[in-house]
Amino acid sequence: MKHALIPGSFDPMTLGHLDLVKRARALYGKVTVAVLVNDQKQYMCSMEERVALARMTLADYPDVDVVSDRGLLVDVFERVGADVIVKGVRNEVDRAYEEEMARVNLARDPRAVTVLLEAADDYEDVSSTRVRELLARGETTEGLLAPAVADYLKDKLASK
Ligand code: PNS
Protein backbone atom coordinates (compact mmCIF):
# COMPACT_ATOMS: atom_id res chain seq x y z
CA MET A 1 0.00 0.00 0.00
CA LYS A 2 1.25 3.48 -0.91
CA HIS A 3 0.19 6.78 0.60
CA ALA A 4 -1.04 9.54 -1.73
CA LEU A 5 -1.30 13.18 -0.66
CA ILE A 6 -3.93 15.25 -2.48
CA PRO A 7 -3.27 18.95 -1.84
CA GLY A 8 -5.49 21.83 -2.80
CA SER A 9 -7.46 24.90 -1.80
CA PHE A 10 -10.77 23.03 -1.67
CA ASP A 11 -12.82 26.26 -1.61
CA PRO A 12 -15.00 24.18 -1.53
CA MET A 13 -14.26 20.50 -2.17
CA THR A 14 -16.36 19.42 -5.20
CA LEU A 15 -17.56 16.05 -6.44
CA GLY A 16 -14.71 16.32 -8.97
CA HIS A 17 -12.27 16.35 -6.05
CA LEU A 18 -14.15 13.42 -4.48
CA ASP A 19 -13.76 11.45 -7.71
CA LEU A 20 -10.02 12.17 -7.65
CA VAL A 21 -9.78 10.98 -4.03
CA LYS A 22 -11.63 7.76 -4.91
CA ARG A 23 -9.35 7.06 -7.87
CA ALA A 24 -6.17 7.79 -5.89
CA ARG A 25 -7.45 5.55 -3.09
CA ALA A 26 -8.03 2.73 -5.59
CA LEU A 27 -4.54 3.22 -7.06
CA TYR A 28 -2.51 3.76 -3.89
CA GLY A 29 -4.55 2.39 -0.96
CA LYS A 30 -4.11 5.31 1.46
CA VAL A 31 -5.06 8.95 0.81
CA THR A 32 -4.58 12.11 2.85
CA VAL A 33 -6.22 15.34 1.70
CA ALA A 34 -4.25 18.48 2.58
CA VAL A 35 -6.14 21.76 2.73
CA LEU A 36 -3.48 24.39 2.03
CA VAL A 37 -3.13 28.06 1.10
CA ASN A 38 -2.61 29.22 -2.47
CA ASP A 39 -1.23 32.75 -2.15
CA GLN A 40 -2.71 33.63 -5.56
CA LYS A 41 -6.28 33.07 -4.33
CA GLN A 42 -8.89 34.96 -2.32
CA TYR A 43 -10.99 32.46 -0.41
CA MET A 44 -14.75 32.34 0.10
CA CYS A 45 -14.35 29.97 3.07
CA SER A 46 -11.96 30.04 6.02
CA MET A 47 -9.40 27.27 6.44
CA GLU A 48 -11.58 25.73 9.17
CA GLU A 49 -14.63 25.76 6.88
CA ARG A 50 -12.68 24.27 3.97
CA VAL A 51 -11.54 21.42 6.23
CA ALA A 52 -15.09 20.87 7.56
CA LEU A 53 -16.56 20.86 4.02
CA ALA A 54 -13.90 18.38 2.86
CA ARG A 55 -14.78 16.11 5.81
CA MET A 56 -18.50 16.35 4.91
CA THR A 57 -17.74 15.42 1.30
CA LEU A 58 -15.61 12.48 2.45
CA ALA A 59 -18.11 11.24 5.05
CA ASP A 60 -18.33 7.83 3.37
CA TYR A 61 -14.51 7.47 3.38
CA PRO A 62 -13.45 7.58 7.05
CA ASP A 63 -10.06 6.11 6.12
CA VAL A 64 -9.21 9.28 4.17
CA ASP A 65 -7.50 11.79 6.50
CA VAL A 66 -7.95 15.54 6.10
CA VAL A 67 -5.14 17.78 7.35
CA SER A 68 -4.58 21.51 6.97
CA ASP A 69 -1.51 23.70 6.96
CA ARG A 70 -0.58 27.29 6.15
CA GLY A 71 2.96 26.32 5.14
CA LEU A 72 4.62 24.46 2.29
CA LEU A 73 3.18 21.39 0.60
CA VAL A 74 6.52 19.54 0.75
CA ASP A 75 6.63 19.95 4.54
CA VAL A 76 3.15 18.39 4.86
CA PHE A 77 4.26 15.64 2.46
CA GLU A 78 7.15 14.72 4.78
CA ARG A 79 5.16 15.16 7.98
CA VAL A 80 2.38 12.74 6.97
CA GLY A 81 4.87 10.30 5.42
CA ALA A 82 3.28 10.33 1.94
CA ASP A 83 4.84 8.53 -1.04
CA VAL A 84 3.32 10.57 -3.86
CA ILE A 85 1.44 13.82 -4.50
CA VAL A 86 -1.66 13.45 -6.68
CA LYS A 87 -3.39 16.31 -8.49
CA GLY A 88 -6.23 16.29 -10.99
CA VAL A 89 -6.02 18.08 -14.34
CA ARG A 90 -9.05 19.00 -16.45
CA ASN A 91 -7.39 20.66 -19.42
CA GLU A 92 -4.09 21.90 -20.87
CA VAL A 93 -4.10 25.08 -18.78
CA ASP A 94 -4.39 23.00 -15.59
CA ARG A 95 -1.70 20.66 -16.85
CA ALA A 96 0.82 23.43 -17.57
CA TYR A 97 0.23 24.97 -14.14
CA GLU A 98 0.42 21.65 -12.30
CA GLU A 99 3.58 20.59 -14.14
CA GLU A 100 5.25 23.81 -13.02
CA MET A 101 4.09 23.28 -9.42
CA ALA A 102 5.34 19.69 -9.59
CA ARG A 103 8.80 20.93 -10.64
CA VAL A 104 8.89 23.51 -7.84
CA ASN A 105 7.96 20.88 -5.26
CA LEU A 106 10.44 18.34 -6.64
CA ALA A 107 13.23 20.94 -6.50
CA ARG A 108 12.41 21.49 -2.83
CA ASP A 109 12.16 17.78 -2.00
CA PRO A 110 13.45 15.10 -4.40
CA ARG A 111 11.04 12.58 -2.83
CA ALA A 112 7.98 14.70 -3.59
CA VAL A 113 6.97 13.27 -6.97
CA THR A 114 3.64 14.44 -8.39
CA VAL A 115 1.34 12.23 -10.46
CA LEU A 116 -1.29 14.06 -12.54
CA LEU A 117 -4.58 12.26 -13.14
CA GLU A 118 -6.94 13.32 -15.94
CA ALA A 119 -10.35 14.41 -14.69
CA ALA A 120 -13.08 11.92 -15.62
CA ASP A 121 -15.36 13.20 -18.43
CA ASP A 122 -18.23 13.83 -15.98
CA TYR A 123 -16.05 16.19 -13.94
CA GLU A 124 -14.15 17.96 -16.69
CA ASP A 125 -16.14 21.17 -16.18
CA VAL A 126 -16.44 21.02 -12.41
CA SER A 127 -14.38 23.60 -10.58
CA SER A 128 -14.61 25.37 -7.24
CA THR A 129 -14.66 28.65 -9.18
CA ARG A 130 -17.74 27.59 -11.16
CA VAL A 131 -19.42 26.38 -7.97
CA ARG A 132 -18.82 29.75 -6.28
CA GLU A 133 -20.25 31.59 -9.30
CA LEU A 134 -23.38 29.41 -9.36
CA LEU A 135 -23.90 29.85 -5.61
CA ALA A 136 -23.50 33.62 -5.90
CA ARG A 137 -26.20 33.69 -8.59
CA GLY A 138 -28.49 31.43 -6.56
CA GLU A 139 -28.29 28.70 -9.21
CA THR A 140 -28.26 24.97 -8.50
CA THR A 141 -25.00 23.18 -7.76
CA GLU A 142 -26.61 19.76 -8.10
CA GLY A 143 -24.12 17.16 -9.26
CA LEU A 144 -21.21 19.44 -8.38
CA LEU A 145 -21.18 19.39 -4.56
CA ALA A 146 -22.08 16.91 -1.84
CA PRO A 147 -25.62 17.85 -0.71
CA ALA A 148 -24.49 18.72 2.86
CA VAL A 149 -21.83 21.08 1.44
CA ALA A 150 -24.34 22.73 -0.92
CA ASP A 151 -26.73 23.29 2.03
CA TYR A 152 -23.98 24.74 4.22
CA LEU A 153 -22.84 27.17 1.54
CA LYS A 154 -26.38 28.26 0.62
CA ASP A 155 -27.01 29.07 4.30
CA LYS A 156 -23.68 30.88 4.55
CA LEU A 157 -24.44 33.07 1.52
CA ALA A 158 -28.05 33.69 2.64
CA SER A 159 -26.88 34.94 6.04
CA LYS A 160 -24.50 37.49 4.50
O1 PNS B 1 -6.51 23.96 -5.41
P1 PNS B 1 -5.29 24.77 -5.78
O2 PNS B 1 -5.50 26.24 -5.44
O3 PNS B 1 -4.85 24.56 -7.19
O4 PNS B 1 -4.10 24.23 -4.84
C1 PNS B 1 -2.84 24.85 -4.87
C2 PNS B 1 -2.05 24.51 -3.61
C3 PNS B 1 -2.82 24.99 -2.37
C4 PNS B 1 -1.86 23.00 -3.52
C5 PNS B 1 -0.66 25.20 -3.71
O5 PNS B 1 -0.84 26.59 -3.80
C6 PNS B 1 0.24 24.86 -2.53
O6 PNS B 1 0.88 23.82 -2.53
N1 PNS B 1 0.25 25.74 -1.50
C7 PNS B 1 1.06 25.54 -0.31
C8 PNS B 1 2.33 26.38 -0.39
C9 PNS B 1 3.32 25.71 -1.29
O7 PNS B 1 3.89 24.68 -0.96
N2 PNS B 1 3.52 26.23 -2.49
C10 PNS B 1 4.43 25.57 -3.41
C11 PNS B 1 4.66 26.34 -4.60
S1 PNS B 1 5.39 27.92 -4.26
Side-chain angles (χ1 to χ4, degrees), residues 7-11 17 34-41 43 50 69-75 87 97-98 101 104-105 108 128:
S9 291
F10 303 110
D11 187 37
H17 293 128
V35 180
L36 303 178
V37 177
N38 180 341
D39 289 330
Q40 316 295 320
K41 289 189 177 170
Y43 290 115
R50 290 185 281 131
D69 201 282
R70 295 183 188 280
L72 289 178
L73 167 57
V74 288
D75 292 338
K87 285 271 305 200
Y97 170 76
E98 295 301 346
M101 295 298 285
V104 168
N105 288 318
R108 286 199 171 118
S128 301

Side-chain angles (χ1 to χ4, degrees), residues 13 18 21 33 53-62 64-66:
M13 181 175 278
L18 174 61
V21 169
V33 166
L53 297 175
R55 292 216 163 98
M56 280 183 208
T57 309
L58 296 165
D60 291 338
Y61 298 90
V64 175
D65 289 333
V66 180

Side-chain angles (χ1 to χ4, degrees), residues 56-148:
M56 280 183 208
T57 309
L58 296 165
D60 291 338
Y61 298 90
D63 60 323
V64 175
D65 289 333
V66 180
V67 300
S68 64
D69 201 282
R70 295 183 188 280
L72 289 178
L73 167 57
V74 288
D75 292 338
V76 179
F77 177 83
E78 291 300 343
R79 194 176 72 230
V80 304
D83 299 300
V84 63
I85 297 166
V86 172
K87 285 271 305 200
V89 291
R90 289 159 303 192
N91 50 49
E92 289 313 307
V93 175
D94 273 3
R95 180 172 292 283
Y97 170 76
E98 295 301 346
E99 282 177 356
E100 191 183 333
M101 295 298 285
R103 280 194 292 272
V104 168
N105 288 318
L106 196 61
R108 286 199 171 118
D109 178 352
R111 272 197 355 101
V113 169
T114 301
V115 169
L116 302 180
L117 295 184
E118 297 284 344
D121 282 353
D122 286 356
Y123 299 106
E124 221 174 350
D125 299 325
V126 181
S127 68
S128 301
T129 307
R130 184 168 152 229
V131 162
R132 290 194 301 272
E133 283 168 6
L134 290 170
L135 285 166
R137 284 198 246 113
E139 290 179 31
T140 179
T141 54
E142 209 181 317
L144 304 178
L145 293 179

